[in-house]
Amino acid sequence: MSQMDISTRTDEGVWRSKPSFMTWRARDVVYVLRHHWIPCLFAAGFLFVVSVESSIKMVSDSSPPLDIGFVATRSLHRLLASSPDLNTGLAALNSVLGVMQVSYIALTWLIEGRPRATITALFLFTCRGVLGYCTQLPLSKEYLGSAIDFPLGNLSFFYFFSGHVAGTTIASLDMRRMQRWRLAMVFDILNVLQSIRLLATRGHYTIDLAGGVAAAILFDSLAGKYEANTRKRQL
């Protein structure tokens, strides 16, 4: 019997007289490396991150934030800064995507009678508002705004996390759930292009974009559990 089986039984409440690691054998290590290589990969990544985090030089308080996404989109930022019309055009296209994602999320409930995506959006944007108010980050000095950016009017906004990316991800997750694979792929591609534009205009930091994707996945899962629990109570 492999060590994975022993560990599972222990997690279910079987008491062992020895610590688990004292029962490990060479074949158990091989088994883990062969059948659980993804956690092993993340374990190696964890060790690498710990070594980097403990040795990297911190950004001084007199310097602007260091963002790899800003560095990667530096040339595009210069292009948009020198071409206001291009910046406005991309903002208009991005606003169209914003309207598309909001429309899709609302129509899945209003037309199809499936509220999960709408519940996800309500959970997510409420949380985003709370987090954004708790930690209000300063606007980047290189920010390139537009009066027709979504939401319209060049209004103030919270940095963390990206509502643009989160909303598009919510729609994409629902499309996959309904096996609308091609439409989901289109939204994913548009989300990537949107992310590049947001970085180039300094509208969001890289962590905001990653946080938007993670938040969409988290709250979609929570909305699914809410629906399941609601159905159970109704039985």
Side-chain angles (χ1 to χ4, degrees):
M1 183 178 296
S2 69
Q3 181 60 34
M4 288 296 101
D5 296 332
I6 295 175
S7 297
T8 302
R9 287 204 319 232
T10 302
D11 291 339
E12 293 175 353
V14 179
W15 176 258
R16 295 188 55 82
S17 59
K18 294 182 179 180
S20 178
F21 74 92
M22 294 184 66
T23 65
W24 293 356
R25 300 179 181 178
R27 67 170 181 268
D28 296 323
V29 176
V30 174
Y31 178 90
V32 170
L33 292 175
R34 289 182 57 186
H35 298 280
H36 300 279
W37 59 271
I38 294 180
C40 292
L41 188 62
F42 276 104
F46 168 75
L47 295 175
F48 173 76
V49 168
V50 169
S51 64
V52 170
E53 185 177 1
S54 60
S55 60
I56 194 171
K57 185 178 180 181
M58 299 292 291
V59 177
S60 66
D61 55 3
S62 60
S63 301
L66 173 62
D67 190 284
I68 298 300
F70 285 13
V71 175
T73 58
R74 188 176 294 159
S75 59
L76 182 56
H77 174 78
R78 288 196 295 264
L79 175 62
L80 294 178
S82 62
S83 305
D85 290 340
L86 177 60
N87 183 42
T88 300
L90 293 180
L93 292 175
N94 210 155
S95 295
V96 171
L97 177 59
V99 173
M100 288 169 58
Q101 62 173 256
V102 171
S103 300
Y104 179 87
I105 291 171
L107 292 177
T108 56
W109 176 38
L110 298 175
I111 303 300
E112 300 180 2
R114 298 185 298 103
R116 178 167 173 173
T118 305
I119 294 172
T120 302
L122 294 176
F123 285 177
L124 183 145
F125 283 97
T126 300
C127 178
R128 178 177 181 269
V130 172
L131 292 177
Y133 185 80
C134 290
T135 303
Q136 301 178 44
L137 301 174
L139 197 64
S140 172
K141 294 180 179 179
E142 297 181 334
Y143 174 63
L144 301 175
S146 173
I148 61 173
D149 208 349
F150 185 83
L152 301 179
N154 202 16
L155 303 174
S156 60
F157 58 92
F158 292 139
Y159 259 119
F160 189 82
F161 41 83
S162 172
H164 289 77
V165 171
T168 307
T169 305
I170 291 174
S172 175
L173 290 171
D174 186 85
M175 292 168 186
R176 282 179 164 74
R177 192 159 44 244
M178 301 305 295
Q179 298 184 358
R180 297 165 178 164
W181 307 114
R182 292 184 179 179
L183 191 57
M185 184 177 296
V186 170
F187 263 60
D188 288 340
I189 293 173
L190 292 176
N191 210 3
V192 172
L193 295 176
Q194 170 180 245
S195 299
I196 295 173
R197 180 209 162 238
L198 290 171
L199 289 172
T201 60
R202 307 313 190 231
H204 276 294
Y205 295 105
T206 301
I207 193 172
D208 304 328
L209 308 179
V213 174
I217 295 172
L218 170 63
F219 285 105
D220 180 74
S221 175
L222 293 178
K225 292 180 179 180
Y226 172 82
E227 280 191 322
N229 291 334
T230 301
R231 284 192 293 266
K232 287 180 180 180
R233 289 196 300 266
Q234 292 174 348
L235 294 178

PDB file of all heavy atoms in Angstrom, residues 54-76:
ATOM      1  N   SER A  54      13.745  36.727   0.330  1.00  0.00           N
ATOM      2  CA  SER A  54      14.634  37.055   1.444  1.00  0.00           C
ATOM      3  C   SER A  54      15.910  37.763   1.000  1.00  0.00           C
ATOM      4  O   SER A  54      16.648  38.285   1.838  1.00  0.00           O
ATOM      5  CB  SER A  54      15.008  35.770   2.203  1.00  0.00           C
ATOM      6  OG  SER A  54      15.664  34.848   1.336  1.00  0.00           O
ATOM      7  N   SER A  55      16.154  37.776  -0.312  1.00  0.00           N
ATOM      8  CA  SER A  55      17.399  38.381  -0.789  1.00  0.00           C
ATOM      9  C   SER A  55      17.183  39.595  -1.690  1.00  0.00           C
ATOM     10  O   SER A  55      18.125  40.338  -1.954  1.00  0.00           O
ATOM     11  CB  SER A  55      18.235  37.337  -1.553  1.00  0.00           C
ATOM     12  OG  SER A  55      17.504  36.836  -2.668  1.00  0.00           O
ATOM     13  N   ILE A  56      15.947  39.817  -2.156  1.00  0.00           N
ATOM     14  CA  ILE A  56      15.719  40.916  -3.096  1.00  0.00           C
ATOM     15  C   ILE A  56      15.773  42.246  -2.368  1.00  0.00           C
ATOM     16  O   ILE A  56      15.387  42.358  -1.192  1.00  0.00           O
ATOM     17  CB  ILE A  56      14.340  40.735  -3.798  1.00  0.00           C
ATOM     18  CG1 ILE A  56      14.241  41.656  -4.997  1.00  0.00           C
ATOM     19  CG2 ILE A  56      13.201  41.000  -2.826  1.00  0.00           C
ATOM     20  CD1 ILE A  56      13.018  41.378  -5.867  1.00  0.00           C
ATOM     21  N   LYS A  57      16.231  43.268  -3.054  1.00  0.00           N
ATOM     22  CA  LYS A  57      16.318  44.602  -2.471  1.00  0.00           C
ATOM     23  C   LYS A  57      14.961  45.280  -2.567  1.00  0.00           C
ATOM     24  O   LYS A  57      14.366  45.356  -3.644  1.00  0.00           O
ATOM     25  CB  LYS A  57      17.386  45.430  -3.200  1.00  0.00           C
ATOM     26  CG  LYS A  57      17.623  46.799  -2.590  1.00  0.00           C
ATOM     27  CD  LYS A  57      18.719  47.546  -3.336  1.00  0.00           C
ATOM     28  CE  LYS A  57      18.951  48.920  -2.722  1.00  0.00           C
ATOM     29  NZ  LYS A  57      20.012  49.665  -3.456  1.00  0.00           N
ATOM     30  N   MET A  58      14.458  45.797  -1.454  1.00  0.00           N
ATOM     31  CA  MET A  58      13.154  46.437  -1.422  1.00  0.00           C
ATOM     32  C   MET A  58      13.198  47.775  -2.163  1.00  0.00           C
ATOM     33  O   MET A  58      14.228  48.463  -2.188  1.00  0.00           O
ATOM     34  CB  MET A  58      12.705  46.672   0.020  1.00  0.00           C
ATOM     35  CG  MET A  58      12.568  45.408   0.844  1.00  0.00           C
ATOM     36  SD  MET A  58      11.203  44.377   0.279  1.00  0.00           S
ATOM     37  CE  MET A  58       9.800  45.384   0.763  1.00  0.00           C
ATOM     38  N   VAL A  59      12.067  48.147  -2.775  1.00  0.00           N
ATOM     39  CA  VAL A  59      11.952  49.444  -3.434  1.00  0.00           C
ATOM     40  C   VAL A  59      11.879  50.534  -2.357  1.00  0.00           C
ATOM     41  O   VAL A  59      11.104  50.414  -1.400  1.00  0.00           O
ATOM     42  CB  VAL A  59      10.692  49.495  -4.315  1.00  0.00           C
ATOM     43  CG1 VAL A  59      10.532  50.877  -4.953  1.00  0.00           C
ATOM     44  CG2 VAL A  59      10.758  48.418  -5.396  1.00  0.00           C
ATOM     45  N   SER A  60      12.657  51.571  -2.502  1.00  0.00           N
ATOM     46  CA  SER A  60      12.681  52.629  -1.492  1.00  0.00           C
ATOM     47  C   SER A  60      11.387  53.435  -1.525  1.00  0.00           C
ATOM     48  O   SER A  60      10.688  53.485  -2.544  1.00  0.00           O
ATOM     49  CB  SER A  60      13.876  53.557  -1.723  1.00  0.00           C
ATOM     50  OG  SER A  60      13.723  54.265  -2.938  1.00  0.00           O
ATOM     51  N   ASP A  61      11.078  54.084  -0.406  1.00  0.00           N
ATOM     52  CA  ASP A  61       9.825  54.833  -0.319  1.00  0.00           C
ATOM     53  C   ASP A  61       9.828  56.093  -1.185  1.00  0.00           C
ATOM     54  O   ASP A  61       8.778  56.698  -1.416  1.00  0.00           O
ATOM     55  CB  ASP A  61       9.536  55.220   1.136  1.00  0.00           C
ATOM     56  CG  ASP A  61      10.680  55.990   1.777  1.00  0.00           C
ATOM     57  OD1 ASP A  61      11.672  56.281   1.077  1.00  0.00           O
ATOM     58  OD2 ASP A  61      10.590  56.298   2.989  1.00  0.00           O
ATOM     59  N   SER A  62      10.993  56.483  -1.684  1.00  0.00           N
ATOM     60  CA  SER A  62      11.087  57.656  -2.557  1.00  0.00           C
ATOM     61  C   SER A  62      11.010  57.283  -4.036  1.00  0.00           C
ATOM     62  O   SER A  62      11.009  58.165  -4.899  1.00  0.00           O
ATOM     63  CB  SER A  62      12.401  58.400  -2.291  1.00  0.00           C
ATOM     64  OG  SER A  62      13.519  57.551  -2.545  1.00  0.00           O
ATOM     65  N   SER A  63      10.926  55.982  -4.333  1.00  0.00           N
ATOM     66  CA  SER A  63      10.885  55.514  -5.712  1.00  0.00           C
ATOM     67  C   SER A  63       9.469  55.083  -6.076  1.00  0.00           C
ATOM     68  O   SER A  63       8.684  54.702  -5.207  1.00  0.00           O
ATOM     69  CB  SER A  63      11.844  54.331  -5.904  1.00  0.00           C
ATOM     70  OG  SER A  63      13.168  54.696  -5.571  1.00  0.00           O
ATOM     71  N   PRO A  64       9.118  55.131  -7.364  1.00  0.00           N
ATOM     72  CA  PRO A  64       7.806  54.642  -7.789  1.00  0.00           C
ATOM     73  C   PRO A  64       7.743  53.119  -7.661  1.00  0.00           C
ATOM     74  O   PRO A  64       8.780  52.447  -7.611  1.00  0.00           O
ATOM     75  CB  PRO A  64       7.726  55.072  -9.256  1.00  0.00           C
ATOM     76  CG  PRO A  64       9.155  55.188  -9.696  1.00  0.00           C
ATOM     77  CD  PRO A  64       9.908  55.657  -8.491  1.00  0.00           C
ATOM     78  N   PRO A  65       6.548  52.545  -7.579  1.00  0.00           N
ATOM     79  CA  PRO A  65       6.430  51.079  -7.473  1.00  0.00           C
ATOM     80  C   PRO A  65       7.073  50.390  -8.675  1.00  0.00           C
ATOM     81  O   PRO A  65       7.026  50.908  -9.797  1.00  0.00           O
ATOM     82  CB  PRO A  65       4.914  50.842  -7.439  1.00  0.00           C
ATOM     83  CG  PRO A  65       4.330  52.147  -7.013  1.00  0.00           C
ATOM     84  CD  PRO A  65       5.242  53.209  -7.544  1.00  0.00           C
ATOM     85  N   LEU A  66       7.688  49.261  -8.419  1.00  0.00           N
ATOM     86  CA  LEU A  66       8.260  48.464  -9.498  1.00  0.00           C
ATOM     87  C   LEU A  66       7.223  47.450  -9.951  1.00  0.00           C
ATOM     88  O   LEU A  66       6.747  46.639  -9.153  1.00  0.00           O
ATOM     89  CB  LEU A  66       9.532  47.743  -9.027  1.00  0.00           C
ATOM     90  CG  LEU A  66      10.130  46.742 -10.018  1.00  0.00           C
ATOM     91  CD1 LEU A  66      10.563  47.443 -11.300  1.00  0.00           C
ATOM     92  CD2 LEU A  66      11.300  45.994  -9.394  1.00  0.00           C
ATOM     93  N   ASP A  67       6.840  47.503 -11.220  1.00  0.00           N
ATOM     94  CA  ASP A  67       5.862  46.575 -11.774  1.00  0.00           C
ATOM     95  C   ASP A  67       6.405  46.013 -13.079  1.00  0.00           C
ATOM     96  O   ASP A  67       6.701  46.755 -14.017  1.00  0.00           O
ATOM     97  CB  ASP A  67       4.525  47.283 -12.008  1.00  0.00           C
ATOM     98  CG  ASP A  67       3.410  46.319 -12.348  1.00  0.00           C
ATOM     99  OD1 ASP A  67       3.371  45.831 -13.495  1.00  0.00           O
ATOM    100  OD2 ASP A  67       2.579  46.025 -11.466  1.00  0.00           O
ATOM    101  N   ILE A  68       6.542  44.702 -13.129  1.00  0.00           N
ATOM    102  CA  ILE A  68       7.087  44.050 -14.317  1.00  0.00           C
ATOM    103  C   ILE A  68       6.202  44.295 -15.536  1.00  0.00           C
ATOM    104  O   ILE A  68       6.681  44.438 -16.655  1.00  0.00           O
ATOM    105  CB  ILE A  68       7.257  42.537 -14.067  1.00  0.00           C
ATOM    106  CG1 ILE A  68       8.247  42.296 -12.927  1.00  0.00           C
ATOM    107  CG2 ILE A  68       7.734  41.829 -15.325  1.00  0.00           C
ATOM    108  CD1 ILE A  68       9.623  42.841 -13.179  1.00  0.00           C
ATOM    109  N   GLY A  69       4.873  44.359 -15.302  1.00  0.00           N
ATOM    110  CA  GLY A  69       3.962  44.649 -16.410  1.00  0.00           C
ATOM    111  C   GLY A  69       4.202  46.026 -17.003  1.00  0.00           C
ATOM    112  O   GLY A  69       4.107  46.218 -18.218  1.00  0.00           O
ATOM    113  N   PHE A  70       4.513  47.003 -16.148  1.00  0.00           N
ATOM    114  CA  PHE A  70       4.830  48.340 -16.638  1.00  0.00           C
ATOM    115  C   PHE A  70       6.111  48.322 -17.464  1.00  0.00           C
ATOM    116  O   PHE A  70       6.213  48.996 -18.491  1.00  0.00           O
ATOM    117  CB  PHE A  70       4.991  49.307 -15.462  1.00  0.00           C
ATOM    118  CG  PHE A  70       3.700  49.722 -14.808  1.00  0.00           C
ATOM    119  CD1 PHE A  70       2.516  49.054 -15.078  1.00  0.00           C
ATOM    120  CD2 PHE A  70       3.676  50.775 -13.915  1.00  0.00           C
ATOM    121  CE1 PHE A  70       1.323  49.434 -14.472  1.00  0.00           C
ATOM    122  CE2 PHE A  70       2.489  51.171 -13.299  1.00  0.00           C
ATOM    123  CZ  PHE A  70       1.307  50.502 -13.578  1.00  0.00           C
ATOM    124  N   VAL A  71       7.073  47.566 -17.004  1.00  0.00           N
ATOM    125  CA  VAL A  71       8.345  47.470 -17.730  1.00  0.00           C
ATOM    126  C   VAL A  71       8.129  46.813 -19.094  1.00  0.00           C
ATOM    127  O   VAL A  71       8.648  47.276 -20.115  1.00  0.00           O
ATOM    128  CB  VAL A  71       9.365  46.667 -16.904  1.00  0.00           C
ATOM    129  CG1 VAL A  71      10.655  46.454 -17.709  1.00  0.00           C
ATOM    130  CG2 VAL A  71       9.665  47.362 -15.580  1.00  0.00           C
ATOM    131  N   ALA A  72       7.322  45.737 -19.119  1.00  0.00           N
ATOM    132  CA  ALA A  72       7.094  45.002 -20.370  1.00  0.00           C
ATOM    133  C   ALA A  72       6.314  45.823 -21.389  1.00  0.00           C
ATOM    134  O   ALA A  72       6.460  45.610 -22.603  1.00  0.00           O
ATOM    135  CB  ALA A  72       6.356  43.697 -20.082  1.00  0.00           C
ATOM    136  N   THR A  73       5.480  46.759 -20.922  1.00  0.00           N
ATOM    137  CA  THR A  73       4.646  47.549 -21.836  1.00  0.00           C
ATOM    138  C   THR A  73       5.159  48.979 -21.983  1.00  0.00           C
ATOM    139  O   THR A  73       4.404  49.872 -22.369  1.00  0.00           O
ATOM    140  CB  THR A  73       3.186  47.577 -21.335  1.00  0.00           C
ATOM    141  OG1 THR A  73       3.148  48.118 -20.004  1.00  0.00           O
ATOM    142  CG2 THR A  73       2.588  46.184 -21.332  1.00  0.00           C
ATOM    143  N   ARG A  74       6.433  49.190 -21.693  1.00  0.00           N
ATOM    144  CA  ARG A  74       6.987  50.546 -21.716  1.00  0.00           C
ATOM    145  C   ARG A  74       6.888  51.170 -23.111  1.00  0.00           C
ATOM    146  O   ARG A  74       6.516  52.340 -23.254  1.00  0.00           O
ATOM    147  CB  ARG A  74       8.440  50.495 -21.256  1.00  0.00           C
ATOM    148  CG  ARG A  74       9.082  51.862 -21.050  1.00  0.00           C
ATOM    149  CD  ARG A  74      10.480  51.690 -20.491  1.00  0.00           C
ATOM    150  NE  ARG A  74      10.448  51.129 -19.146  1.00  0.00           N
ATOM    151  CZ  ARG A  74      11.473  50.513 -18.562  1.00  0.00           C
ATOM    152  NH1 ARG A  74      12.609  50.344 -19.228  1.00  0.00           N
ATOM    153  NH2 ARG A  74      11.370  50.058 -17.336  1.00  0.00           N
ATOM    154  N   SER A  75       7.217  50.396 -24.150  1.00  0.00           N
ATOM    155  CA  SER A  75       7.168  50.942 -25.511  1.00  0.00           C
ATOM    156  C   SER A  75       5.743  51.269 -25.927  1.00  0.00           C
ATOM    157  O   SER A  75       5.488  52.296 -26.572  1.00  0.00           O
ATOM    158  CB  SER A  75       7.801  49.952 -26.501  1.00  0.00           C
ATOM    159  OG  SER A  75       7.118  48.705 -26.459  1.00  0.00           O
ATOM    160  N   LEU A  76       4.778  50.410 -25.550  1.00  0.00           N
ATOM    161  CA  LEU A  76       3.379  50.673 -25.871  1.00  0.00           C
ATOM    162  C   LEU A  76       2.877  51.897 -25.108  1.00  0.00           C
ATOM    163  O   LEU A  76       2.085  52.690 -25.633  1.00  0.00           O
ATOM    164  CB  LEU A  76       2.517  49.450 -25.540  1.00  0.00           C
ATOM    165  CG  LEU A  76       1.030  49.547 -25.865  1.00  0.00           C
ATOM    166  CD1 LEU A  76       0.812  49.888 -27.335  1.00  0.00           C
ATOM    167  CD2 LEU A  76       0.313  48.249 -25.505  1.00  0.00           C
TER     168      LEU A  76
END
